[in-house]
C-alpha cells in the first residue's frame, strides 16, 4: 500500500471541503443538493448490498446481526462510563453523546468502501446489514441512559411513555433506514437483467457522486470543527479515543468472531468506530433537550467523522491486514 | 388618517411561529374556528426557549413555520381562545396586533 | 413472463415510496429534486424518441398523430358522460376530472418503457410523438366541457375569451411539452457521433434515475390515496374503470388501426389509459376554479397512476400479447 | 415611549399577499408610485377565497408572495389608492398598520 | 378589547431586514442584549437604496434576511439602542410596532 | 466541417432555452439545479484538466500562465478605453463593464470543449490553467479602473483599503476558483486506477449534464437579452465587438506565442473572447455600487455569452484552422 494509493479522490475531496472552510471561502453547496446525494448514496449502497446478499448464504448473516446489536447496545454504555468517570461530563450530556457512538455513519462506511475499491480489496456482503441495523438500537440505549441519568440527578422522572413510543416508532420509520432496508430488499429481489439496467446509475457513477458528498461533508466538518474550543479538550480527545476503542472491538469481532476477510474486517471496524450524525442527533434533541447539541454535533461531525475518514480508515485497514496475517485462526 | 377610511376595515393581525411538526394540528384548529384565510411561510429559523432552529442545519433539520392571519376582532378572539390552551405544548409565539384590511380582494377572513 | 420479470426495480421503488407513506415514515425527497428529475427524464425520453424517429419513416408517423388527437378529444367526452350519467357528479367537477383522462402521464409512459426494457421487448418510435401531442388537446376539451356545463347549470356564462386564449397559449408554451418537443427535435437533428457523447447521461443512467422518480411518486400517490375517503366510492371506482376503458381503446387502436408490435401496442394502451397530473391540474384549477382540486388530484395521482403502474402495465402488456397472437391481421 | 423618539419616525407598514403570477404587475404599480423600498418573500403558501396554495404541492405549484413595505403616511395613501382598484383581480390581501422606522439605514422609503 | 387581557402581554415587535452577509454580526449584537427569542426568514428579496436584491438572480446572488423579534418595551429599547449605531452600515430597515404576546408558550423574550 | 457537425447538442439546448424564453414559456429550472450543475461541471473540468496536466510537462505551462495574466490585465484596459472614447460611457459604468471582459466564462469554455469533442479535435492541457487563473486578475484591474474613474470624476476618493483587501481575499477564496484549482490538484494527484473509479461520473456523463446547464443558460440569456433596449445600441455592439477583439488577441497569442494546435488555439481564443458572469458581477456590485448592474449583466449574459456560444466558437475554430494552415511557423 503506497502513499499514492491512499490518495483516494473521495478523501481528497473531503480535505478540499475542509480547506475551503478553513480559508473561509464562500463555497457553499445547496442544502438540497446534500439531501439528494444522501438519498442517492443510501439507495446505491442498499441496492449493491442487497444484490450481494441475494447471492450469499443468508444463514451466515445472523452473526453479523448479533454483532450489530451488540455494538449498538454495548458501545454507548462504554462511552457513557468513560464520559462520566473520566470526564466528569454531566449525566444528560453524557447520555446524549454516548448514543451517537453506538450508531453508525453511512458516510464513513461509504468512504471505507471507496477506499477498499481504490486499492482493489474485496469484502463480505454482511457488513451492509450491520450498517442498516446499527442505526436504531443506540437511540434506545440513549433513551435508557438519559432516563438513568435523570434518576441519578434526582429530578422527577416523568415517565414519558409517549415520547418513548414516538422515538421508537421514529427509529424504525426513519427515512434513511427505510431507504437502506428498502433498497436492500429491492436489490435482492430483482433479476440480474433488471439490475443491470439500473446499475450504471447506482454503481457506475457512485464513486464520483461520493466525492461531491464528501466535499460537502468536509465543509460541514470544518464548520463544526471550528467550534471545538467551546467543547473543551477532554471531549475532543474523547472524540478521537472513542472511535479507537470502537475500532478495537470491531477488529476483534470482525476477525475472531465473524471470521471475515481483511476487507470485511475493515468494514466491521469502521462501523464500530464510526458515530452517527444523521439519525441520532434529532432523536437526542427531542429526547434529551437538556443536552447541548453543539457538544454532540461537534464531536460527531467535527472530530470523529474527519478523524475516521482521514486517519481511521487506512489505519483500520492496516490493523485488519496485520491481524489477518498474524492470527489467522483457521 | 389621510387614506379614505371607507376602503379600510379595522382588523387584527395574528402572527404565529411554531415548529413545523405541529403545523397540521394548528391548522386543523384554525379550520375549526372557521378561519377563511391565512398565509404560511415555511423554512424559517430562529431562537427560542428550546434553542436555535436553523432549516439549513445539516444534522438537526428543525424548521419553524410562520402563520400570518388577518381577521375581524371577534374572530381573532375565537382563534386566540381556541389555540391558547395548546400554545404551551406548541411552543414558539403568538402575537396579535392591530391592522387595517384594504377593501378589494375577496373577503377571505 | 415469470413473476420475477415483473419485479422491475422502477415499480418496486414506487411500492417502496407508497410503503414509506403508509407507515408514516419521515422520508421526504426535496421538492426541487423531483422537478430536476422530471426535467431530466423528459429530455431523456425526448432525445431518445427523436433519435428513433430520425431513423424511421416520418410518413408513417401520421396515423399516430391522428390517434393521439382522437384519444385526447374522445376520452374526456367518454369520461364526462360516465361521470354525469352514472355518478351524478356535478357538471363542473365532471368537466375538470374528464380533462385529466384525455391527457397523458409521462411517468406512466416511462414506467412502461422500463417494464418493456426489463423484459427485453422492443417498440415503435411513434408512441413518443403521441406522448408529446396528447398533453394539450384534453385541456381544450376540458374547457369546452366546462363551458357546456356552465350553460347546463344555467349560470351566466361570461364568455371569458381572455382566459381561453391564455390557456391555449399556456398549453403550447407549457414547459414540459416544450422540453419534450425540443429534445425530440434535438435528438432528431444531431449526428450519431454527437448523440453518442450525451448518450451516457441521457440513456445509460436513465433507468436508475427513473427509480428515484418513481419512489418519490409513490410517496406522492400514497399521500393522495389517503384522501380517497373524501372522494367517495364512485369516484375511486371511476379512477380504476376509466383507465380500463382507455386501455381497451388503446389496444384496439394500437393493434388494428396502427398495426404496431406488442411493445408498441402496450405503449399506445398505456397512453390511452393514463391520466395527466402535470399539465392538466393547473390548467383546470385556473379554468374551472369551482371544481374541487382534491377530486381530480386524488383520482389522477392517488388512484389511476398507481393502478396503472402496479396492475395496469403488466396487464396491458399481457392483453397486447394475446391480441397480437390471436388477431394477427396481416 | 422609553425609546428616544428622535431616532424613530412614525410610518405605515403595508403587507401585501398575492399570487406569484401577479407580482410583476404589482411591482410595476409600486414603482410607479415612487416607492423606494420593499421586501419580498417568495414561496409562501396559504388559504384564501381561491382555496389552498402550497408551494411544495406536487401538481398545482401555486405560490404566494409577500411584499412588506414601510413608508410615510402620504406615500402609503398613494400606494393604497394606486393598487386599490386592482386588488379585486389580484386577490390575496393588503394590510396596513402603524410602525416606527429606526433612523440609521439609508432612507429607502 | 374582547380578548381577555389577562392572556395578553403588551410588547414591541421589531422587524429588521438586512443583507445576509451582515446577519452574523447582527445576531451577535442581539445575543449581547440578552434577547432570548427571534425568528429568521432567509432568502428574501427586495428593493432599497442599494438597488434590487433577488435571491433567485443568477449572477448577483444577494439575499436579504428578515428578523422578527417580540420583546418587552425596555428590552426593545435596549435592542434599538444597541443596533442603532450600526444600522447605517447594515443598511436595510428596522421597524418597531406594538403587539401583544399571547400567554402560553415558554417566555422566550 | 459540415453543417451537421455544428449541431452540437449543447448548443442546440442553449438555443432551446432561448426559444423557451422568447415564447414566454413557463419552463423554469430550479435555481438550486443550476448551482448544482455548475459545481459538478467545474469539478469535472478541473479533474480532467488536472489529469491532463499531470501527464504533461509542467514547465511548458508557464507561458500559458503569463498569457492568462496578460489577458486578464490587458483586455479590461482596452475595453475601458473603447467604452470611454467611443461610447462616452460614464467612467464608473465603463470600469465595471471592462472588468467583466478581462475575466472568463467557464460556460463558454465548456461549450467550446464540447464543440471540439463533437468534431473530434484534440487540444493541449494548458488552457484549463488559464481558465482558472483568469477569473481573478480582471477584478483587480476593475478596482484600479474604478479608482481612476473616481479620481477623474473629481469626487473624494475614500481610499477604501478595507474594501480593496476584502475583494482581493474574495477573489482568491471565491468558491468556483477554489473548486477549479482544488479539483485540478486532485486530478493531478490521484493514481490512474483511482481516477478510473470516478471517471464515469465526472467524464462519461459530463457532456449530457452540460446540455442541461446550457439549456438553463439559454433561458437566463434570453431573459437578459430582452432588456437590451435599456442598454442601448452602442453597448450591445460593444458586447459583440469586444469578444472579437479578444478573439484576435487570443488567436495571435495561441498561435504565434504559445504555438498550440488548432484545438488549443481555439480554446485560448475562447478564453480571451469570453466574459465573466460568475465571479466578476458580485465583485463589481460591491466595489462599484454606482454602476448599473443591468448594463454589465445584459452585456455579459445577454449579448456576449450567446454570441460566443452560437457564432463565436465555430468562427474561432475556423479562424484557428486557417491560421494554423497559413502561418505555420515551425
Ligand atoms: N420572542 C420571540 N420573538 C420572535 N420569535 C420567537 C420568540 N420566541 C420564540 N420565537 C420563535 O419561536 C420558535 C420556537 O420557540 P420556542 O418554542 O420558545 O423554542 C423560535 O425558534 C423562534 O423562531
Ligand atoms: N385573511 C387572511 N389572512 C392572511 N392571509 C390571507 C388572508 N386571506 C387571503 N390570504 C392570503 O392570500 C392568498 C390568496 O387569497 P385569495 O385570493 O383570497 O385566495 C391566500 O393563499 C393567503 O395566503
Ligand atoms: N422602505 C422599505 N420597506 C421595506 N423594505 C425595505 C425598505 N427599505 C429597504 N428595505 C429592505 O432592505 C433591503 C436593503 O435596503 P438598502 O440597504 O436600503 O438597499 C432592501 O433590499 C429591502 O428588502
Ligand atoms: Na417560546
Ligand atoms: Na382574498
Ligand atoms: Na435602506
Amino acid at each position: 500500500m503506497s502513499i499514492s494509493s491512499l490518495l483516494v479522490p473521495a478523501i481528497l475531496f473531503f480535505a478540499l471541503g475542509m480547506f475551503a472552510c478553513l480559508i473561509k471561502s464562500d463555497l457553499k453547496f445547496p442544502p438540497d443538493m446534500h439531501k439528494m446525494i444522501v438519498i442517492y448514496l443510501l439507495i446505491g449502497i442498499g441496492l449493491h448490498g442487497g444484490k450481494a446478499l441475494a447471492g450469499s448464504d443468508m444463514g451466515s448473516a445472523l452473526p453479523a446481526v448479533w454483532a450489530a446489536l451488540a455494538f449498538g447496545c454495548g458501545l454507548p454504555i462504554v462511552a457513557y462510563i468513560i464520559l462520566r468517570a473520566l470526564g466528569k461530563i454531566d449525566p444528560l450530556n453524557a447520555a446524549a453523546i454516548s448514543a451517537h457512538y453506538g450508531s453508525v455513519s453511512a458516510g464513513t462506511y461509504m468512504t471505507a468502501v471507496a477506499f477498499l475499491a481504490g486499492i482493489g480489496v474485496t469484502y463480505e456482503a454482511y457488513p451492509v446489514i450491520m450498517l442498516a441495523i446499527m442505526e436504531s438500537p443506540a437511540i434506545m440505549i440513549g433513551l435508557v441512559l438519559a432516563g438513568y441519568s435523570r434518576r441519578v440527578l434526582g429530578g422527577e422522572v416523568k415517565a414519558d411513555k409517549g415520547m418513548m413510543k414516538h422515538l421508537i416508532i421514529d427509529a424504525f420509520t426513519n427515512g434513511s433506514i427505510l431507504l437502506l432496508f428498502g433498497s436492500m430488499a429491492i436489490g435482492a429481489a430483482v433479476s440480474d437483467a433488471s439490475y443491470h439496467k439500473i446499475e450504471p446509475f447506482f454503481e457506475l457513477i457512485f464513486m464520483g457522486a461520493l466525492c461531491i458528498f464528501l466535499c460537502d461533508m468536509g465543509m460541514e466538518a470544518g464548520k463544526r470543527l471550528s467550534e471545538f474550543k467551546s467543547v473543551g479538550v477532554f471531549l475532543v480527545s474523547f472524540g478521537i479515543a472513542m472511535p479507537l476503542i470502537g475500532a478495537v472491538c470491531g477488529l476483534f469481532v470482525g476477525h475472531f468472531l465473524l471470521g471475515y476477510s481483511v476487507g470485511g474486517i475493515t468494514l466491521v471496524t469502521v462501523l464500530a468506530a464510526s458515530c452517527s450524525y444523521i439519525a441520532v442527533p434529532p432523536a437526542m434533541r427531542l429526547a434529551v433537550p437538556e443536552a447541548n447539541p453543539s457538544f454532540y454535533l461537534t464531536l460527531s461531525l467535527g472530530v470523529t467523522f474527519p478523524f475516521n475518514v482521514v486517519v481511521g480508515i487506512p489505519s483500520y485497514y492496516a490493523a485488519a491486514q496485520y491481524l489477518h496475517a498474524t492470527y489467522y485462526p483457521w | 388618517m389621510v387614506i379614505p377610511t371607507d376602503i379600510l376595515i379595522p382588523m387584527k393581525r395574528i402572527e404565529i411561529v411554531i415548529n413545523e411538526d405541529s403545523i397540521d394540528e394548528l391548522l386543523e384548529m384554525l379550520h375549526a374556528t372557521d378561519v377563511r384565510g391565512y398565509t404560511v411561510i415555511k423554512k424559517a429559523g430562529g431562537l427560542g426557549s428550546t434553542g436555535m432552529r436553523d432549516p439549513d442545519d445539516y444534522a438537526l433539520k428543525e424548521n419553524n413555520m410562520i402563520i400570518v392571519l388577518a381577521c375581524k376582532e371577534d374572530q381573532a378572539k375565537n382563534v386566540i381562545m381556541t389555540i391558547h390552551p395548546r400554545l404551551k405544548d406548541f411552543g414558539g409565539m403568538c402575537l396579535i396586533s392591530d391592522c387595517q384590511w384594504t377593501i378589494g380582494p375577496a373577503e377571505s377572513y
Side-chain angles (χ1 to χ4, degrees), chain B residues 17 47-50 53 87-88 90-94:
Chain B
V17 177
L47 174 73
S49 57
T50 59
R53 289 189 193 147
L87 284 178
K88 203 180 150 61
F90 286 153
M93 73 170 188
C94 172

Side-chain angles (χ1 to χ4, degrees), chain A residues 34-226:
Chain A
H34 190 86
K35 290 183 203 149
M36 290 170 53
I37 303 193
V38 169
I39 290 169
Y40 164 79
L41 294 174
L42 284 175
I43 296 181
I45 208 96
L47 282 173
H48 181 90
K51 194 85 210 137
L53 283 171
S56 66
D57 176 13
M58 278 307 287
S60 323
L62 225 68
V65 172
W66 289 122
L69 292 175
F71 286 148
C73 300
L75 289 172
I77 296 175
V78 173
Y80 185 78
I81 292 171
I82 295 178
L83 286 168
R84 293 287 297 131
L86 295 185
K88 314 282 177 240
I89 304 298
D90 70 291
L92 287 170
N93 271 312
I97 296 174
S98 303
H100 289 72
Y101 284 90
S103 183
V104 288
S105 140
T108 316
Y109 180 83
M110 291 186 275
T111 312
V113 166
F115 176 83
L116 294 179
I119 56 177
V121 171
T122 60
Y123 45 90
E124 280 77 12
Y126 309 114
V128 74
I129 305 192
M130 300 177 66
L131 172 70
I133 286 176
M134 278 176 77
E135 289 264 5
S136 307
I139 295 175
M140 311 297 135
I141 305 299
L143 287 177
V144 172
L145 287 173
Y148 170 78
S149 302
R150 286 206 186 87
R151 229 163 310 141
V152 164
L153 288 172
E156 38 103 51
V157 185
K158 34 169 184 162
D160 198 341
K161 284 277 164 62
M163 158 80 79
M164 192 81 182
K165 202 180 130 201
H166 178 77
L167 277 167
I168 293 179
I169 292 180
D170 260 22
F172 290 101
T173 60
N174 180 295
S176 38
I177 297 172
L178 192 75
L179 272 188
L180 209 45
F181 274 117
S183 47
M184 266 169 64
I186 294 176
V190 300
S191 68
D192 280 358
S194 285
Y195 191 76
H196 285 317
K197 294 257 184 296
I198 60 171
E199 214 173 7
F201 184 72
F202 288 113
E203 303 233 358
L204 189 63
I205 64 174
F206 185 90
M207 288 299 165
L210 184 63
C211 290
I212 293 199
F213 168 78
L214 279 169
C215 186
D216 204 6
M217 289 303 298
M219 290 187 264
E220 192 60 42
K223 222 157 62 192
R224 293 286 170 188
L225 187 56
S226 66

Side-chain angles (χ1 to χ4, degrees), chain A residues 34 217 220 224 277 285 297, chain B residues 50 52 57-60 62:
Chain A
H34 190 86
M217 289 303 298
E220 192 60 42
R224 293 286 170 188
Y277 47 77
R285 178 78 190 255
L297 289 176
Chain B
T50 59
M52 291 282 262
D57 186 81
Y58 170 58
L60 293 178
E62 289 177 313

